[in-house]
Structure formats: C-alpha cells, structure tokens
Amino acid sequence: MTTSIDPALISRISGEFSALGAQMGVLGRDLELLRTQVVGGPAGAQEVSGAGVPAAGAEEQGPAAPKSAAGDQAAAAPGSDASAGTGDRAPDAPASGVPGSPAPTESTWPLHPIPSGVVPPGSMVPPAYVPRFAPAPAGAVSGWVAGPQGAGMPNAAAQPAARGPMPPHGPVPPMGAPMPPGMRPPPRSGPRVPQTPWWQRDGVISRLLAVAGVGVTLIGVVMLLVLAAQAGFFGPVPRVVAGAAFSVGLVAAGMRVFGRVGGQVGGIALAATGFAGAYLDVVAVTAIYHWLHPVIGFAVAFGVAAVGVALAMRWQSQPLAVLVVVGAAVLSPILTTELALLAFLIVLQFACVPVQLVRDWPYLHVVRTLPAALATFLFVAGAIFSGPAPGERPLLLLAAVAVALVGLVGTIVVVRRKPTDLTASLMFALATVPMLVVPGMYEAERPIAAVIAGVFAAVLLAVAATTLIPKVAAVAKVPGHTALVAAVAGSIALLETCVSVTDPRTLPTAWFLVALAFLGVAGQRRSGVTAGIGAAFATLGAFAFLNIAGPEVLASQHRSEANLSISTVVGAVLALAVVAVAVWGARKLPGLQGTAELQWIAASIAGLYSVTTATVSIGVATGAEDGFLIGHSAATILWMAGATAALFYGLRNIGKATAVAKLALGSGLLVTAAALAKLFLFDLATLGGLLRVAAFLAVGVLLLVVGTRYARAFAEAGANSRETGEAPTR
C-alpha cells in the first residue's frame, strides 16, 4: 500500500471545484436578475426580458425568435454604449433596463459579481472583468448559450465586451491536461512521509560492507606476504604465487559480478581488492625478496596500476580507481620503508595522470598526490634533521623533482579542461612542498642549494607569468588560481635562492632587487597578486636593512663604523628605488587610489631614512675621520633640499588645485618639519665646527627661498581669483 498522492489527481479536483464555483456565481447572477424582474413589475420584466434574459417561450423558439430593438442593437454592436457604457455608471445610478429599480450594491449583491463576458469552463476566475450588470445579448443567459449535449458554451457575442486587467491567477487546466509552466501544483495534503534512516537507504550498507571487505582482504594479503615470512610459514615462492593468483581471481570475479543486476558495488570492491593486492605483491617481490630489479619492478607496478585505472575508466567508476590507489598507497609502507617506497608511490601518482584527460575525478586527484607528497616530505625532513645517508640526497632530490613535475603536469592537464577546478591547484601546491624543503639538505653546500631553488623558482614563476601576457595566456589557458599557487611557491623558492647566495650584509640588496622587479611588473600589468608579492619582498628587505642599519646604528658613530659599508649604500639606494616604483605602481592598481595620502606619508618617511643611511654610509665608507658627521650634515641638507623640491612642485601647480599638488605641498611641509627637528635635536648636539655651520646655513637659505616662493605663489593665486571671482585655493 502506497501513501503517495498523485499531483495530477489533486490538480483535476482543484479544477473541478473552481469550475463549480464559477457556475454557481453565474447561477447567483441569474437569480438576482429574476428577483429584479419580480420587483420591477410587468414593464420592467418586459424590458429586462428583451435585454438580458429571453422571455417565456424564447427557449423553444430557437434562433428564429423575435428580438427587441435593444437586443438587436447590442448583438450588432457589442462595443457600443449598450454593452459597455454601463460600466462607467455611478454606483447609485439605476440599473439599465429596469427603470425605477434601486442600484444594486455590494451589500445587496449576495455573490461576487460575475461579468457578462466569457467564463470558460474550468476557469478559477473569469479571464477579464467587464462592467457590472451589463445586459447580455438576446438569446444568451449571462454570456452562455446551449452547446452540444446541453453543455454550457461561452457566447462569442459577449467576448468583445470583456475588458479590464487580467486576474493574478490564470485558468486551471481541464481534467487530464498537463499543468502549464506558469502555474504551480497545489500543495499536497496529508501526513508527512517520514524520512528513511541512513542505514536503511539503498546502497549505503552495501558500500560500507564493500569498503570494509576491501580493507580486510588487503590486510590479509599483506599478512600473507610479510607475517607469514616472519613466522616461517610456506616459502617465498608459494607466498608470492598465492598472492598473485588470489589477486587475479578477485579481478576476474569482480568483472563477472559487475555485469549482473545489482552487482556494481560488489564488482568494484572485488576488482579494487584484486588490483591493490597485485600491486602489493609486486612491491614485495621488488623490495623484500629482490627478485626483480628496481626498474623492472617499478615498470610492472606501473602496468598493474594502469590496468586498474583503465578498468575504472571503462566502468566510469571513480570509486574503483580511488580504492585501488588508496589500498596500494596505505599498505605499501608496511611492506617497505626504504627509498623504493617513494618510487612506488610516485608510480601510482603518475599512472593516474591520463585519467585526468577525460574524467573529472577530484577524489582520485587527491589520493594520487597526497601519499607521494607526504612520504617524500617526511623522507627529506628526516634527512635534514638526522643527516642523509651516503648517496641518499640525490635520490631524495630526484623523488622531490618527480613529485613536483607530475603534480604540475597533472594540474595543467586538469585546469586546461576545467578552469574552475580548485582541487587541482591545491594538489599542485601540495606537490611543491617537498621541492621547497630540499634545499635544506644542502645547507653546507650553499651554491648547490641556490641552483636547486633558483631553477625551481624560474619554472614556477614562468608558469605564473603566463597569465600576464595576453597572447601566452590564450595559448596556455592557465587559470588564475593555478597561477597564484605557482607565483606563491615560486616566490618562496626565490626567497630561498636569495638567502643561499647572500650574506646578512647583502641580503637586503637581493630582496630589494626582487621587490623592484615584482613591483615594476605589477604597475605595468596592473596585477594585484604581483604587487602583493613585491610588497612582501620589500617588507622583508626593509627588516633585513633595519637589522644592519637601524636607528641605533645611525645615531652612534662607533656602531656605524662597525656595521655600515658600500653594501649598505647600495641597499639604501635600492630602497629609494623601491619606494618610487611602489608609489608609481599604486596609482595604477585598482582599489589603491583612495590611499594616496597614506602612500605619500609612508614614502616620505622611508625616503628620509634611506637618504640618511646612504649619506652616513658613504661618509663612513670613505674612511675619513669625520665621515660619520659629514654624512649626517649632508643628510640634513638633502632633507631640506627634497622638501624644497616638493614645495616648489606643489606651488607651481597650486592654481590647478590638483590632488598631486596638494600632496606635494603636504609632503614638503612634513619633510621641512623633520629637517628642522633633526637640525636642532641631533645635529646641534652632534656636529661641530664648520659642519654645524654649513648645515644651519644651508637649511636657513633653503627656508628663505621656500618662504619667498610660497608667499609669491599665493599672492598670484589671490590676484587671479579676484579677476575670475573665485576663492583662492589654500
């Protein structure tokens, strides 16, 4: 017995009730017309009979019955005043055709007024509203005529009288007709059907049992290959042969069961167990018994995995491919923990790459990448902390390169076909982790580490740069999220390269150079990601620069002579270049135009510090006895010279009232205040003799020049404003 209700049946019942309601409304109107005839007397009855309802005996006379003049006029001209004029009558006016009768109102009308137009059978509401109490043509009863078999048919003569807005609900379809697209079926009634518990749903228990069977059976295969050998049961040959025969039998049984009704779950479980068992058997033959050369063993394992995923593609079953890879990857470390394990896991990773060309299987992408990347990372980390064994570092480097290369190729294959696949980009990021850790094994051999990191950075940044060149982007078709992963990983590798080829004194120079390149590309291509990477390198370079030439170093002559050198000068000059390029690029990047004031303030502070470091470093690097003092005196003069240049630029463009001119004036005044503060708070106490005199004279002369130019500029602006009638800009 079923508890479901047919929606079509409900729809038909609703339509029948709607049609019954419409017919009852017509009946009520006819009864009201009859009541007006009785109340109005014989004259009224005769007039109404000729205008709306046929007189006695008209039904038997048929079409040849005589009609009144009013009825003929209404039938001949449906759009005339006889049929449409009553709709504009005031509510208190008497009804047409019933002289002296009171006007019917909502209080006297028992039902909702039904128009005299067409009321199709099965309609929920009339298709259009017409004037109330409009007389129907002769021979019609409220817009209806006798149809075949006595059925009520709409009167065509009454259709032109229909006018007004359509009701909010359309007609209900006739019995047995499909529901129109614009209408929704009525809500179902009756008790709610309780939801089936998850453990009673179709296929849930069978899938759980199948997965459990795969795991238990594979553990049994591992026990046959390992524990039996440890206990001395059987010989190596019987164990290997038994494992191979058992795996082949499981695959054959799975292929036989899969084609039967309801055998998909069982067939997938049997086949997955067979392929994973065969893969483990090859691992045991190669890594435990050493019957096969490693190269041959890897090739055989690749063949087993390839056949397994090929069958999964034929059956269009992602679970089969996932179970094969997971079973082999999870249980392989039980058979061996040597470097051969990495090769077998990479074989699994590589064997599944062709699947990504034709199938969108994200779970397979995860399970094929995660075991190889995680195992390689653990092996490399162990070699870094405990020291690699002789000859182990090249093999680990090769494994890390293979994982990253297979991850890159697999990701490009996937995202070119499906650009929105974020799983592929995340797996690519995971595959790059071992390669980013590998340079740590060559800490004692920094040139080798620099070469490894540099080559890896070049490859990744080249992949990321494909999105910045339109012609290359159209060919490569690398989506933004993949390029972002490549850019971040490449930047980390480039960071390692800079650390490997520099010392603490030259490290800021390297990072500033990288930041300069990234910021320049960001401003040229309007790339926010590239600008963010450049800002990160600039920040790292600034911290490294402050570690060498911090404020406490610049304030002490002894510490300056011990830490500052030509490399500090180069770093300071590059810092100035980074500040200039950053301000230039920020004007082109979307979303940063509203932070111009903050940019100029930060640029002014960074520029002042870089100039001071450069002048003091140059003075110290000359080896002169007063080099430190000369550098500080020159720094103060340069501060004031920069402020003067900014103020002159702002004053030259003050009449234009541009934002850049205002920023230049604000920055110039800020730097002027800083120069005066340094002159009185530091130089006056530190400098001596002619250096102090030179600093004060230079700053004073520049202040006089700026003050004179400032007053003249605003005087000219005031004169121009008086001529034009505008207020001067200040």
Side-chain angles (χ1 to χ4, degrees), residues 394-407:
L395 296 177
L396 291 177
L397 174 61
L398 182 61
V401 170
V403 170
L405 183 60
V406 174

PDB file of all heavy atoms in Angstrom, residues 394-407:
ATOM      1  N   PRO A 394      70.904  12.610  -3.579  1.00  0.00           N
ATOM      2  CA  PRO A 394      70.463  12.675  -4.988  1.00  0.00           C
ATOM      3  C   PRO A 394      69.142  11.946  -5.238  1.00  0.00           C
ATOM      4  O   PRO A 394      68.306  12.420  -6.026  1.00  0.00           O
ATOM      5  CB  PRO A 394      71.621  12.015  -5.752  1.00  0.00           C
ATOM      6  CG  PRO A 394      72.796  12.174  -4.860  1.00  0.00           C
ATOM      7  CD  PRO A 394      72.271  12.070  -3.476  1.00  0.00           C
ATOM      8  N   LEU A 395      68.940  10.816  -4.574  1.00  0.00           N
ATOM      9  CA  LEU A 395      67.691  10.082  -4.761  1.00  0.00           C
ATOM     10  C   LEU A 395      66.501  10.860  -4.203  1.00  0.00           C
ATOM     11  O   LEU A 395      65.425  10.893  -4.810  1.00  0.00           O
ATOM     12  CB  LEU A 395      67.791   8.708  -4.101  1.00  0.00           C
ATOM     13  CG  LEU A 395      68.838   7.758  -4.707  1.00  0.00           C
ATOM     14  CD1 LEU A 395      68.880   6.457  -3.915  1.00  0.00           C
ATOM     15  CD2 LEU A 395      68.531   7.491  -6.173  1.00  0.00           C
ATOM     16  N   LEU A 396      66.688  11.487  -3.038  1.00  0.00           N
ATOM     17  CA  LEU A 396      65.608  12.295  -2.483  1.00  0.00           C
ATOM     18  C   LEU A 396      65.314  13.510  -3.359  1.00  0.00           C
ATOM     19  O   LEU A 396      64.153  13.894  -3.537  1.00  0.00           O
ATOM     20  CB  LEU A 396      65.966  12.737  -1.067  1.00  0.00           C
ATOM     21  CG  LEU A 396      65.996  11.631  -0.006  1.00  0.00           C
ATOM     22  CD1 LEU A 396      66.443  12.195   1.336  1.00  0.00           C
ATOM     23  CD2 LEU A 396      64.620  10.986   0.126  1.00  0.00           C
ATOM     24  N   LEU A 397      66.367  14.118  -3.900  1.00  0.00           N
ATOM     25  CA  LEU A 397      66.165  15.239  -4.818  1.00  0.00           C
ATOM     26  C   LEU A 397      65.396  14.788  -6.056  1.00  0.00           C
ATOM     27  O   LEU A 397      64.467  15.481  -6.510  1.00  0.00           O
ATOM     28  CB  LEU A 397      67.521  15.830  -5.210  1.00  0.00           C
ATOM     29  CG  LEU A 397      67.496  16.923  -6.286  1.00  0.00           C
ATOM     30  CD1 LEU A 397      66.677  18.120  -5.828  1.00  0.00           C
ATOM     31  CD2 LEU A 397      68.920  17.341  -6.654  1.00  0.00           C
ATOM     32  N   LEU A 398      65.762  13.614  -6.584  1.00  0.00           N
ATOM     33  CA  LEU A 398      65.057  13.101  -7.754  1.00  0.00           C
ATOM     34  C   LEU A 398      63.589  12.808  -7.435  1.00  0.00           C
ATOM     35  O   LEU A 398      62.697  13.093  -8.249  1.00  0.00           O
ATOM     36  CB  LEU A 398      65.761  11.831  -8.247  1.00  0.00           C
ATOM     37  CG  LEU A 398      65.182  11.171  -9.500  1.00  0.00           C
ATOM     38  CD1 LEU A 398      65.255  12.131 -10.688  1.00  0.00           C
ATOM     39  CD2 LEU A 398      65.928   9.879  -9.814  1.00  0.00           C
ATOM     40  N   ALA A 399      63.333  12.254  -6.253  1.00  0.00           N
ATOM     41  CA  ALA A 399      61.946  11.971  -5.860  1.00  0.00           C
ATOM     42  C   ALA A 399      61.149  13.265  -5.725  1.00  0.00           C
ATOM     43  O   ALA A 399      59.990  13.347  -6.179  1.00  0.00           O
ATOM     44  CB  ALA A 399      61.926  11.189  -4.549  1.00  0.00           C
ATOM     45  N   ALA A 400      61.747  14.292  -5.105  1.00  0.00           N
ATOM     46  CA  ALA A 400      61.040  15.569  -4.954  1.00  0.00           C
ATOM     47  C   ALA A 400      60.760  16.214  -6.305  1.00  0.00           C
ATOM     48  O   ALA A 400      59.673  16.768  -6.536  1.00  0.00           O
ATOM     49  CB  ALA A 400      61.849  16.512  -4.069  1.00  0.00           C
ATOM     50  N   VAL A 401      61.724  16.133  -7.216  1.00  0.00           N
ATOM     51  CA  VAL A 401      61.519  16.684  -8.562  1.00  0.00           C
ATOM     52  C   VAL A 401      60.394  15.935  -9.276  1.00  0.00           C
ATOM     53  O   VAL A 401      59.537  16.540  -9.940  1.00  0.00           O
ATOM     54  CB  VAL A 401      62.831  16.619  -9.366  1.00  0.00           C
ATOM     55  CG1 VAL A 401      62.577  16.962 -10.829  1.00  0.00           C
ATOM     56  CG2 VAL A 401      63.864  17.562  -8.782  1.00  0.00           C
ATOM     57  N   ALA A 402      60.377  14.596  -9.126  1.00  0.00           N
ATOM     58  CA  ALA A 402      59.335  13.805  -9.785  1.00  0.00           C
ATOM     59  C   ALA A 402      57.951  14.141  -9.241  1.00  0.00           C
ATOM     60  O   ALA A 402      56.981  14.287 -10.002  1.00  0.00           O
ATOM     61  CB  ALA A 402      59.636  12.316  -9.615  1.00  0.00           C
ATOM     62  N   VAL A 403      57.830  14.269  -7.929  1.00  0.00           N
ATOM     63  CA  VAL A 403      56.531  14.599  -7.337  1.00  0.00           C
ATOM     64  C   VAL A 403      56.053  15.963  -7.827  1.00  0.00           C
ATOM     65  O   VAL A 403      54.877  16.136  -8.202  1.00  0.00           O
ATOM     66  CB  VAL A 403      56.622  14.559  -5.801  1.00  0.00           C
ATOM     67  CG1 VAL A 403      55.355  15.125  -5.173  1.00  0.00           C
ATOM     68  CG2 VAL A 403      56.849  13.139  -5.315  1.00  0.00           C
ATOM     69  N   ALA A 404      56.942  16.950  -7.826  1.00  0.00           N
ATOM     70  CA  ALA A 404      56.551  18.294  -8.269  1.00  0.00           C
ATOM     71  C   ALA A 404      56.219  18.312  -9.758  1.00  0.00           C
ATOM     72  O   ALA A 404      55.241  18.957 -10.179  1.00  0.00           O
ATOM     73  CB  ALA A 404      57.674  19.282  -7.969  1.00  0.00           C
ATOM     74  N   LEU A 405      57.004  17.594 -10.559  1.00  0.00           N
ATOM     75  CA  LEU A 405      56.766  17.599 -12.007  1.00  0.00           C
ATOM     76  C   LEU A 405      55.451  16.905 -12.358  1.00  0.00           C
ATOM     77  O   LEU A 405      54.656  17.418 -13.164  1.00  0.00           O
ATOM     78  CB  LEU A 405      57.930  16.920 -12.716  1.00  0.00           C
ATOM     79  CG  LEU A 405      57.877  16.911 -14.249  1.00  0.00           C
ATOM     80  CD1 LEU A 405      57.850  18.333 -14.786  1.00  0.00           C
ATOM     81  CD2 LEU A 405      59.063  16.145 -14.819  1.00  0.00           C
ATOM     82  N   VAL A 406      55.203  15.740 -11.744  1.00  0.00           N
ATOM     83  CA  VAL A 406      53.944  15.035 -12.004  1.00  0.00           C
ATOM     84  C   VAL A 406      52.764  15.863 -11.503  1.00  0.00           C
ATOM     85  O   VAL A 406      51.711  15.930 -12.150  1.00  0.00           O
ATOM     86  CB  VAL A 406      53.963  13.640 -11.356  1.00  0.00           C
ATOM     87  CG1 VAL A 406      52.605  12.961 -11.501  1.00  0.00           C
ATOM     88  CG2 VAL A 406      55.042  12.777 -11.986  1.00  0.00           C
ATOM     89  N   GLY A 407      52.948  16.505 -10.347  1.00  0.00           N
ATOM     90  CA  GLY A 407      51.878  17.365  -9.840  1.00  0.00           C
ATOM     91  C   GLY A 407      51.598  18.530 -10.768  1.00  0.00           C
ATOM     92  O   GLY A 407      50.433  18.882 -11.006  1.00  0.00           O
TER      93      GLY A 407
END
